[in-house]
C-alpha cells in the first residue's frame, strides 16, 4: 500500500459520540478537516464491546449497525486523499470503572496502581472471547472500507498487560517467560491477520518507563516475531496509561524525543517500517525525524488538534504560521475526561470545524485594551472578520501569561506568545505601548472598546501582612536561593510558585484554607508536581489559614495550629479578581465589552476561547 506521504494522524480520543458509539457529523467534520494533507488518519480507539469503554462517548465497532456510519466516515476521508486506519484496543483492567456495565479482565487480578477496578484473571475461555472480539472488529473495519488495522499492543492495555512482567504474575503457560507472556497477544494478532485482507500494524510501547515493565530488548524480540507473522509496520510509543501517563500522553513534563530514540534503536533490529511518534509539533521536529532519525513514517496527534493544517503548512501547501500544540493536555485530555469532548487550549474551533469566520457586514473600528491571550485572540479574529483594530498594552506583550511558562517543565507554553506575535505582524496589527485613558477611547475614533485588562491578585486581610511577593517572584532576577519562604495559598499558582522555589534550594511552607492543594491544576501536572514537592519535604498545611504575621513569624490556625519562625519571604497566591479600571468611565459612553479574565477569571483556554467567540459576535 502506498500512502501519499509519510505522515499519519495518531489516534486521539475525541469523545464526540452521544453515548451510543455511533458516527455523527461532528466526527466527519473533525476528520475531514484533518485529512487533506496527510497520508493516513487513525481514528480514535474503537471499542470492541460496550462494556469495554474508556469514555462514555467513544466510537464503537462492536456491532454491525456501526458499519454504515464508519463507512460514511471512511469515504469522506478517502475523498480527501488519505487512507483510514482502525485502531482496535481492548483496555482490559483499564476499562472505565465509572461506566455502568463495564467489565474488567487482565492477565492478573491486580488493579492498576493509580486506580481502577479489580480485574478478573483471565482463563482460556475469556481469551477466546477476546480473540473473537478483535476478529469481529477487524472484519467490520474491512467491511466499512478501512485500509489498515492497528492493534494496540502497548500503553498498558490488555495485550501489554500480558506482555509486561510487572503486570503479568501468572504461573501458567501465559506467564513467566517472555514466550509465555507473548502467547495470548500473539494469538490475537494471528487470528486478526488470518481474518482480513488488509494490512495489520501494531502500536507498541518501546519501554513502559517503569522499573519492571516492558523494556526495549523485549520489544525488539516481539517485533521480530510479528515480522515473521506478517505485521506490516510498527508504531513506536512509550509509557503505560496505568503507571506512567505523562509518557503515554507525551506531556510537557517529560522530555521530548525519548520515543524517537527508542524507535531508532528498534529500527536497527527489524526489517519492517516504523512509525515514529511522540510530541511531534514543529517543523524542526519533522526535519529532525526525517534527516537524522530517517523515520519511515511520522505520526502526529495533538499538533493536528491545535492546527489541522500542520502538515499542509509543513509541506507549504497552506500559507500561515503553525498554531502550536503546547503539550499541556489541558484542553484535549481535560475536555474528554470531563465529558465535554475533545477541546484545545489554543484552538477554539475544535469540534466546530466548519463554522465559518463570517465577514462583518459593516467594517468597524475597535480598540482593545490589553495584549494578553484574550486581547490577542480577539484582535486576530476581529481582523479576520474585516474590522479595524487598535491594540493598547501598557506592559509586556502576552500579559500575565508570561508568568505561566516560568514554572519548571512549562517552557513550551511560551510558544503561543510567539505565535501571536508572528500573527499580529503578519496581519499588520500594531501595538500602542501606553497606559491608555478613557478620553482617548471615547473621542469618536472607535465604534467599540474591548477591555482585556486581565486580573489582579486577591490579597487576604491577614493581620500584619505588609511586604509580600506574587507570581512575579518566579522571574529569574527575582527568585531567591537558600531562603525560608511561606506561600499563602495552595491552588494552581501557589503550587507552581512552590515548585519553582524548591529548585533554588529554598525551604518552602504552603498554607491552604481548603482541604485540597493544587486545585485547578491539570491532572498530570498536579500528580507530578505534588509528588516532587513531597520528595522535597515541602510542608503543605491544608484546611489551615494564615491568621497573623508578626515580623518574620506567621501564626497558622485550623487543622494545623502552629507558628513558623525565621521567615525570609512571604508569597501571596490566594486567587485573582477581574481588573477593569476603565469600565465605569467608558460604560454608557461607548459600546464596551469585557473578555478573558476581565470578564471572569479563568485559565488560558477560557481567555483564548472567550476572545474568539466574543469577536465572532461583534
Amino acid at each position: 500500500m502506498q500512502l501519499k506521504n509519510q505522515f499519519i494522524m495518531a489516534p486521539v480520543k475525541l469523545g464526540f459520540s452521544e453515548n451510543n458509539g455511533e458516527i455523527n457529523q461532528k466526527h466527519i467534520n473533525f476528520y475531514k478537516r484533518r485529512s487533506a494533507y496527510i497520508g493516513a488518519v487513525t481514528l480514535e480507539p474503537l471499542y470492541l464491546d460496550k462494556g469495554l469503554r474508556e469514555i462514555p462517548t467513544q466510537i464503537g465497532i462492536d456491532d454491525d449497525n456501526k458499519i454504515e456510519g464508519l463507512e460514511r466516515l471512511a469515504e469522506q476521508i478517502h475523498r480527501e486523499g488519505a487512507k483510514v486506519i482502525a485502531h482496535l484496543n481492548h483496555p482490559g483492567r483499564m476499562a472505565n470503572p465509572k461506566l455502568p456495565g463495564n467489565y474488567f479482565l487482565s492477565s492478573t487480578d491486580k488493579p492498576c496502581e493509580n486506580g481502577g477496578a479489580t480485574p478478573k484473571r483471565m482463563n482460556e475461555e475469556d481469551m477466546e472471547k477476546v480473540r473473537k472480539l478483535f476478529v469481529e472488529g477487524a472484519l467490520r473495519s474491512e467491511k466499512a472500507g478501512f485500509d489498515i488495522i492497528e492493534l494496540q499492543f502497548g500503553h498498558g492495555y490488555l495485550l501489554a498487560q500480558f506482555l509486561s512482567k510487572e503486570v503479568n504474575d501468572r504461573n501458567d503457560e501465559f506467564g513467566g517467560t517472555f514466550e509465555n507472556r507473548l502467547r495470548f497477544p500473539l494469538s490475537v494478532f494471528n487470528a486478526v491477520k488470518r481474518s482480513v485482507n488488509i494490512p495489520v500494524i501494531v502500536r507498541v510501547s518501546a519501554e513502559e518507563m517503569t522499573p519492571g515493565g516492558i523494556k526495549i530488548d523485549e520489544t525488539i524480540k516481539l517485533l521480530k516475531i510479528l515480522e515473521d507473522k506478517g505485521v506490516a509496520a510498527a508504531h513506536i510509543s512509550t509509557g503505560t496509561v496505568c503507571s506512567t501517563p505523562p509518557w503515554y500522553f507525551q506531556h510537557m513534563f517529560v522530555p521530548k524525543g525519548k520515543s524517537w530514540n527508542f524507535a531508532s534503536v528498534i529500527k536497527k533490529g527489524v526489517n519492517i517500517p516504523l512509525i515514529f511518534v511522540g510530541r511531534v509539533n514543529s517543523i524542526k521536529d519533522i526535519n529532525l525525524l526525517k534527516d537524522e532519525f530517517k523515520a519511515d513514517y511520522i505520526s502526529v496527534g495533538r499538533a493536528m488538534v491545535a492546527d489541522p493544517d500542520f502538515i499542509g503548512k509543513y509541506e507549504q501547501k497552506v500559507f500561515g504560521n503553525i498554531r502550536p500544540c503546547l503539550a499541556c493536555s489541558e484542553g484535549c485530555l481535560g475536555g474528554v475526561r470531563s465529558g465535554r469532548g475533545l477541546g484545545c487550549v489554543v484552538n477554539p474551533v475544535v469540534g466546530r470545524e466548519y463554522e465559518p469566520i463570517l465577514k462583518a457586514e459593516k467594517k468597524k473600528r475597535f480598540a482593545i485594551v490589553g495584549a494578553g491571550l484574550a486581547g490577542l485572540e480577539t484582535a486576530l479574529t476581529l481582523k479576520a472578520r474585516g474590522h479595524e483594530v487598535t491594540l493598547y498594552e501598557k506592559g509586556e506583550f502576552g500579559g500575565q501569561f508570561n508568568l505561566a511558562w516560568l514554572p519548571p517543565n512549562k517552557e513550551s507554553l511560551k510558544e503561543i506568545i510567539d505565535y501571536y506575535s508572528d500573527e499580529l505582524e503578519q496581519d499588520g496589527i500594531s501595538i500602542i505601548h501606553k497606559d491608555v485613558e478613557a478620553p482617548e477611547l471615547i473621542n469618536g475614533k472607535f465604534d467599540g472598546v474591548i477591555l482585556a485588562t486581565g486580573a489582579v491578585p486577591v490579597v487576604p486581610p491577614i493581620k500584619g501582612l505588609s511586604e509580600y511577593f506574587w507570581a512575579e517572584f518566579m522571574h529569574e532576577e527575582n527568585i531567591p536561593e537558600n531562603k525560608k519562604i511561606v506561600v499563602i495559598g495552595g491552588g494552581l499558582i501557589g503550587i507552581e510558585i512552590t515548585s519553582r522555589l524548591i529548585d533554588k534550594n529554598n525551604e518552602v511552607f504552603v498554607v491552604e484554607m481548603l482541604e485540597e492543594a493544587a486545585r485547578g491544576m491539570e491532572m498530570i501536572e498536579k500528580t507530578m508536581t505534588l509528588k516532587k514537592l513531597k520528595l522535597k519535604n515541602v510542608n503543605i498545611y491544608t484546611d489551615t489559614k494564615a491568621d497573623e504575621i508578626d515580623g518574620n513569624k506567621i501564626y497558622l490556625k485550623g487543622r494545623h495550629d502552629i507558628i513558623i519562625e525565621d521567615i525570609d519571604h512571604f508569597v501571596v497566591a490566594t486567587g485573582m479578581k477581574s481588573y477593569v479600571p476603565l469600565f465605569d468611565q467608558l460604560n454608557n459612553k461607548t459600546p464596551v465589552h469585557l473578555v478573558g479574565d476581565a470578564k471572569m477569571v479563568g485559565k488560558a483556554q477560557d481567555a483564548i476561547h472567550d476572545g474568539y467567540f466574543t469577536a465572532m459576535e461583534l
Side-chain angles (χ1 to χ4, degrees):
M1 179 176 294
Q2 184 70 42
L3 306 188
K4 69 180 176 186
N5 61 32
Q6 68 188 112
F7 297 106
I8 295 171
M9 184 172 179
V12 175
K13 294 184 181 73
L14 305 189
F16 288 165
S17 286
E18 297 165 5
N19 293 300
N20 57 14
E22 294 180 4
I23 296 297
N24 57 37
Q25 193 62 41
K26 208 169 179 181
H27 293 114
I28 291 172
N29 290 348
F30 178 88
Y31 286 116
K32 177 185 176 183
R33 182 69 183 82
R34 288 158 176 84
S35 299
Y37 307 104
I38 201 157
V41 172
T42 312
L43 302 193
E44 75 171 357
L46 306 174
Y47 68 74
L48 303 171
D49 184 300
K50 195 169 183 180
L52 297 173
R53 290 173 296 163
E54 293 182 78
I55 55 174
T57 49
Q58 190 173 350
I59 299 173
I61 198 163
D62 58 318
D63 192 282
D64 286 351
N65 65 12
K66 305 284 199 312
I67 294 174
E68 183 183 353
L70 292 166
E71 187 174 24
R72 278 192 297 117
L73 177 56
E75 287 173 354
Q76 184 62 68
I77 295 171
H78 285 151
R79 278 197 288 270
E80 299 298 317
K83 303 295 186 184
V84 191
I85 302 174
H87 180 88
L88 305 183
N89 178 30
H90 191 304
R93 63 178 184 168
M94 295 307 301
N96 192 332
K98 295 179 181 178
L99 297 184
N102 265 4
Y103 61 93
F104 313 91
L105 301 170
S106 186
S107 61
T108 180
D109 55 11
K110 299 181 297 187
C112 173
E113 299 93 317
N114 60 8
T118 299
K120 176 190 176 187
R121 186 186 294 268
M122 291 171 65
N123 57 32
E124 292 195 48
E125 183 181 350
D126 297 321
M127 294 179 198
E128 179 53 36
K129 289 178 181 176
V130 169
R131 277 191 292 270
K132 185 179 178 186
L133 285 177
F134 270 105
V135 167
E136 290 173 346
L139 289 169
R140 291 186 189 110
S141 301
E142 191 171 31
K143 286 177 184 175
F146 286 26
D147 305 285
I148 301 166
I149 290 166
E150 179 173 80
L151 301 180
Q152 175 61 283
F153 265 63
H155 288 158
Y157 291 115
L158 179 64
L159 302 185
Q161 289 161 27
F162 274 83
L163 291 168
S164 175
K165 58 188 173 186
E166 188 169 66
V167 178
N168 187 340
D169 57 359
R170 304 172 76 99
N171 54 16
D172 59 8
E173 67 267 40
F174 300 100
T177 65
F178 172 76
E179 289 70 24
N180 281 357
R181 286 181 278 119
L182 176 61
R183 193 182 304 276
F184 170 62
L186 185 59
S187 73
V188 170
F189 176 84
N190 288 335
V192 170
K193 186 76 176 66
R194 284 194 301 268
S195 70
V196 295
N197 296 305
I198 57 178
V200 179
I201 67 176
V202 292
R203 199 171 203 209
V204 299
S205 293
E207 292 211 359
E208 290 188 317
M209 312 307 285
T210 59
I214 294 169
K215 300 297 181 188
I216 194 167
D217 57 337
E218 288 191 336
T219 299
I220 293 171
K221 284 172 65 177
L222 164 68
L223 294 179
K224 281 182 174 179
I225 292 168
L226 291 176
E227 183 180 326
D228 289 340
K229 300 295 182 181
V231 73
H235 196 167
I236 311 299
S237 188
T238 53
T240 154
V241 69
C242 179
S243 51
T244 54
W247 288 102
Y248 166 65
F249 289 109
Q250 288 294 301
H251 191 268
M252 62 186 171
F253 270 47
V254 299
K256 180 187 281 194
K258 193 73 172 176
S259 61
W260 310 346
N261 290 322
F262 284 141
S264 66
V265 173
I266 293 169
K267 191 173 171 62
K268 297 170 186 174
V270 299
N271 295 305
I272 53 173
L274 298 186
I275 305 166
F276 285 60
V277 72
R279 209 168 139 195
V280 181
N281 55 14
S282 72
I283 288 175
K284 179 182 175 183
D285 295 336
I286 293 175
N287 288 336
L288 186 67
L289 285 166
K290 292 178 80 168
D291 298 338
E292 294 192 24
F293 286 88
K294 309 299 181 188
D296 301 307
Y297 295 92
I298 298 171
S299 183
V300 183
R302 287 170 175 79
M304 290 192 64
V305 177
D307 190 333
D309 294 324
F310 174 57
I311 299 303
K313 289 174 180 177
Y314 168 78
E315 296 202 321
Q316 298 184 326
K317 295 176 180 176
V318 179
F319 175 75
N321 300 304
I322 292 171
R323 190 176 282 251
C325 170
L326 306 181
C328 62
S329 297
E330 184 78 48
C332 46
L333 177 57
V336 171
R337 278 180 168 169
S338 69
R340 299 190 306 271
L342 182 74
C344 179
V345 168
V346 302
N347 183 358
V349 296
V350 173
R352 311 169 75 137
E353 273 70 24
Y354 288 96
E355 291 184 13
I357 295 183
L358 296 174
K359 290 291 183 180
E361 293 181 9
K362 179 183 176 184
K363 181 178 180 178
K364 292 185 178 182
R365 296 164 299 167
F366 288 99
I368 301 173
V369 184
L373 297 183
L376 294 169
E377 184 65 37
T378 304
L380 292 175
T381 308
L382 286 174
K383 183 75 173 180
R385 295 192 61 216
H387 294 299
E388 185 180 318
V389 177
T390 302
L391 184 57
Y392 294 91
E393 173 55 61
K394 68 178 181 179
E396 190 176 5
F397 182 89
Q400 290 180 351
F401 196 70
N402 287 294
L403 299 169
W405 52 272
L406 295 178
N409 305 307
K410 301 191 76 173
E411 298 84 359
S412 63
L413 298 187
K414 186 178 183 298
E415 293 172 15
I416 191 62
I417 301 292
D418 298 335
Y419 166 80
Y420 279 124
S421 177
D422 293 340
E423 286 286 288
L424 258 65
E425 182 179 351
Q426 184 175 298
D427 283 2
I429 301 173
S430 59
I431 300 179
I432 300 173
H433 291 282
K434 64 182 289 186
D435 189 1
V436 66
E437 296 181 355
E440 187 174 342
L441 301 172
I442 54 178
N443 62 4
K445 185 179 174 183
F446 301 108
D447 297 301
V449 178
I450 295 100
L451 296 181
T453 42
V456 293
V458 173
V459 181
I462 301 169
K463 183 180 177 182
L465 177 64
S466 56
E467 294 186 11
Y468 59 89
F469 290 87
W470 181 63
E472 78 279 358
F473 211 27
M474 293 190 289
H475 281 294
E476 191 65 34
E477 63 269 23
N478 294 340
I479 197 161
E481 293 188 51
N482 303 305
K483 300 294 184 183
K484 190 172 184 178
I485 301 169
V486 170
V487 176
I488 302 169
L492 184 152
I493 295 175
I495 294 299
E496 287 192 337
I497 294 170
T498 301
S499 178
R500 179 103 164 97
L501 288 170
I502 61 176
D503 286 347
K504 294 290 186 177
N505 204 35
N506 293 293
E507 182 184 7
V508 185
F509 302 82
V510 180
V511 184
E512 170 54 50
M513 287 183 65
L514 300 181
E515 294 183 358
E516 179 191 7
R519 295 175 327 283
M521 191 175 272
E522 184 273 321
M523 189 55 65
I524 292 175
E525 180 187 358
K526 179 178 179 178
T527 301
M528 295 188 73
T529 304
L530 290 179
K531 182 179 179 181
K532 171 187 173 181
L533 268 53
K534 185 176 181 181
L535 290 171
K536 293 281 189 174
N537 298 312
V538 173
N539 289 294
I540 301 178
Y541 301 116
T542 55
D543 204 14
T544 301
K545 70 172 185 175
D547 189 59
E548 182 180 351
I549 292 172
D550 180 12
N552 62 356
K553 260 189 248 184
I554 187 168
Y555 296 81
L556 307 184
K557 296 289 183 184
R559 182 184 295 176
H560 303 275
D561 288 336
I562 59 173
I563 302 168
I564 305 173
E565 302 187 72
D566 302 320
I567 301 163
D568 295 298
H569 301 292
F570 294 98
V571 177
V572 173
T574 48
M576 307 289 289
K577 62 182 178 182
S578 296
Y579 178 64
V580 284
L582 294 173
F583 183 79
D584 290 339
Q585 300 171 60
L586 297 173
N587 198 26
N588 298 322
K589 296 186 176 94
T590 187
V592 59
H593 310 271
L594 304 178
V595 294
D597 281 357
K599 181 194 291 185
M600 181 182 294
V601 175
K603 294 184 177 182
Q605 180 168 334
D606 302 312
I608 292 173
H609 288 219
D610 188 45
Y612 176 84
F613 289 110
T614 298
M616 289 289 284
E617 293 169 3
L618 291 176

